[in-house]
Amino acid sequence: LFQKKRNVIKSRNYLKILATMTIKRYATLAAASLACISSTNAFSGPPSLLTFLVQSTSHKTTNTLVGNSPYSTSLFSTPPERNDDTSPPPPPLSTVVSRVAVAGATGRTGKFVVQSLLSQKVPVLALVRDPSKASTVLDDPTDELLTIRKTDLGSRNDVLAALDENQCDAAIWCATGFSDAPDQSIWTKLQALFGLAVTPKGTIDAVGLPALAEGLKSTPKRVLDGKSLPKIVMLSSAGVTRPSWSEEKKLALEGCAGIPIVRLNPFGILDVKRESEETLRTCGVDYTIFRPCGLNDSWPSNQRPIFSQGDIAVGRINRKDVAQILVSILSAPDATGKTFEAITIANSDGYYPPASSLNTALGRLESDSINGGKGPSEEVVRATYALMQQLLPGEKQSANELAMGQTYEQLDKGEEGRLGKKGEEKVEQAGLAPSS
């Protein structure tokens, strides 16, 4: 009897301990979940999105309360000690690429790409429409590492000949970019931004981009530390998929689907750019597609980029930072086969300097091949959107309220943009019509 009574006492004590541990575990989980929700003021999705937000920050932990739970995250445990990075620095770019063809080398982004490559002692083939412009736009057109070739990007044969003559093993497509020239209409600027030098042959994206891929297909595979490097880096644009979204998705993600260029999508230019991306993905060469948000020369440069996927980012980025990212991708295996956007956040008193390397950030991005070739899941896209909306410029943080030609600062002050109110933009006064 004594032994039985002793066993009963032990069992009761065990149950008390177990109950206490269980209460602590779920109390911790509930508190962390509430913290996650309250810290994301734009979050309004289903519970499954909360699971994504929690799991996306997960790491290995030795916390005994949470153990091997799928909710094991830094929200509930002490982060592991950081190990000093003793890996050797990445090799110089000039040792991993022999010559880079730059399409659109005299453009407002392309010239910075050329400048960055030459500063790293990388030979450059500048594919330009007007060689005389190159002599005035490029920093040092006489640089011995620079070859300037007049090239019609709307001609497959011309592009192939240029690559064959100069033995390039990689290319950066940046035949895009706004121009602030006062004699250019908005339509001309939009053509420049999306690479739409429209001719009877079709767009330069539809002809020149596949030609670059064809010309590089037979070159040796680019590899670093056993991983594939991209042969083609494409400068695209944020917003290219949004016109094709369902009405439900446009409404749910109105903060990025309702911005002026997406809302108006003049002459379907965004659709053409999206089709060019799709063509590149099926060309059979290693690639990276980079979609920067609003290009703004007044926005500070040398800022920290914030990468996202799913075509949900809205914000600003300086062309110099765009060029630096394009060049850095050439030596980043973790960027191969991926499509992503970027904005930059202004450096506040040095607290947010740009990272010394993009490899860590790029390594966290998903490959285009996941989810049956559809990229990140819809849950991931919508959760990312909720977070990215908090990084919008201005005080109102409401990009969908902007009219075409209106800045975030004007929106905050209640001022009209240069083309009038939203929905009443006088686009005809700016020459928004196809050029002949």
Side-chain angles (χ1 to χ4, degrees):
L1 290 174
F2 177 80
Q3 185 63 38
K4 288 183 177 180
K5 184 175 182 180
R6 186 177 180 182
N7 289 341
V8 169
I9 293 173
K10 284 184 176 180
S11 298
R12 287 176 178 172
N13 289 338
Y14 175 78
L15 290 173
K16 288 181 180 179
I17 294 173
L18 182 61
T20 301
M21 291 178 64
T22 302
I23 291 172
K24 286 183 178 180
R25 173 179 294 188
Y26 286 101
T28 304
L29 176 60
S33 298
L34 289 173
C36 182
I37 293 174
S38 63
S39 66
T40 312
N41 56 25
F43 183 87
S44 60
S48 57
L49 291 188
L50 174 60
T51 301
F52 160 72
L53 288 172
V54 174
Q55 290 181 339
S56 67
T57 58
S58 64
H59 58 73
K60 293 182 180 179
T61 177
T62 57
N63 188 298
T64 56
L65 282 180
V66 184
N68 293 323
S69 162
Y71 298 103
S72 300
T73 75
S74 57
L75 292 172
F76 317 131
S77 60
T78 302
E81 293 184 5
R82 294 187 62 178
N83 296 322
D84 292 334
D85 186 6
T86 57
S87 59
L93 183 59
S94 59
T95 65
V96 296
V97 64
S98 62
R99 186 183 299 274
V100 179
V102 179
T106 58
R108 301 192 66 199
T109 301
K111 66 180 182 180
F112 292 125
V113 170
V114 173
Q115 179 181 323
S116 178
L117 289 168
L118 293 177
S119 70
Q120 298 180 64
K121 306 302 180 184
V122 176
V124 174
L125 170 63
L127 305 179
V128 302
R129 285 183 298 176
D130 184 0
S132 62
K133 180 181 178 182
S135 63
T136 59
V137 170
L138 300 179
D139 276 358
D140 184 7
T142 63
D143 192 311
E144 61 181 8
L145 295 177
L146 175 63
T147 302
I148 299 173
R149 186 189 190 280
K150 182 178 181 180
T151 308
D152 179 5
L153 296 178
S155 166
R156 169 182 171 273
N157 291 337
D158 203 14
V159 173
L160 291 176
L163 293 178
D164 184 58
E165 294 166 5
N166 294 275
Q167 299 180 335
C168 297
D169 58 350
I172 297 178
W173 179 273
C174 53
T176 56
F178 272 125
S179 171
D180 290 335
D183 60 339
Q184 287 193 327
S185 68
I186 282 188
W187 170 248
T188 304
K189 294 177 181 180
L190 290 174
Q191 284 180 313
L193 172 62
F194 297 103
L196 298 177
V198 181
T199 69
K201 302 176 184 178
T203 69
I204 58 174
D205 285 70
V207 179
L209 197 53
L212 276 181
E214 182 181 349
L216 294 172
K217 200 169 186 178
S218 60
T219 61
K221 192 176 185 67
R222 299 186 62 236
V223 178
L224 180 63
D225 296 331
K227 298 180 180 179
S228 297
L229 290 169
K231 287 186 177 182
I232 294 184
V233 181
M234 177 188 180
L235 173 60
S236 184
S237 174
V240 296
T241 69
R242 299 173 202 174
S244 64
W245 288 357
S246 68
E247 291 304 315
E248 181 276 329
K249 185 173 181 178
K250 289 179 181 178
L251 182 62
L253 308 185
E254 188 179 11
C256 66
I259 64 174
I261 187 61
V262 176
R263 179 167 48 86
L264 297 175
N265 189 20
F267 308 103
I269 55 178
L270 294 176
D271 303 305
V272 174
K273 198 68 175 178
R274 172 177 51 81
E275 292 170 2
S276 299
E277 289 187 358
E278 294 171 353
T279 299
L280 178 59
R281 294 188 186 101
T282 60
C283 279
V285 298
D286 293 319
Y287 70 89
T288 299
I289 298 173
F290 174 40
R291 299 167 170 169
C293 291
L295 303 178
N296 190 310
D297 289 339
S298 298
W299 194 245
S301 61
N302 194 33
Q303 304 301 302
R304 177 180 297 184
I306 304 296
F307 297 104
S308 63
Q309 292 181 292
D311 198 13
I312 47 74
V314 180
R316 290 168 171 165
I317 186 170
N318 191 290
R319 288 177 177 82
K320 292 181 180 179
D321 288 342
V322 171
Q324 189 57 48
I325 292 171
L326 290 169
V327 172
S328 297
I329 288 171
L330 289 173
S331 58
D334 286 326
T336 304
K338 297 180 179 180
T339 301
F340 50 87
E341 313 101 51
I343 62 170
T344 57
I345 54 175
N347 188 3
S348 177
D349 295 329
Y351 288 110
Y352 294 97
S356 58
S357 171
L358 299 180
N359 292 334
T360 300
L362 295 177
R364 293 174 177 145
L365 302 177
E366 298 284 4
S367 169
D368 290 346
S369 62
I370 69 163
N371 194 25
K374 298 179 181 178
S377 69
E378 195 64 20
E379 286 188 344
V380 171
V381 170
R382 297 196 180 205
T384 306
Y385 164 81
L387 296 175
M388 293 295 289
Q389 282 288 292
Q390 299 179 74
L391 299 176
L392 285 173
E395 297 174 356
K396 287 193 173 182
Q397 294 190 315
S398 185
N400 56 292
E401 293 185 24
L402 290 168
M404 178 167 276
Q406 184 182 34
T407 67
Y408 291 96
E409 291 76 17
Q410 288 175 322
L411 181 64
D412 287 342
K413 296 176 182 178
E415 300 174 354
E416 285 189 14
R418 55 192 173 84
L419 298 180
K421 298 179 181 179
K422 177 183 175 181
E424 301 176 9
E425 295 97 332
K426 301 177 179 63
V427 292
E428 70 280 356
Q429 294 183 3
L432 189 57
S435 58
S436 57

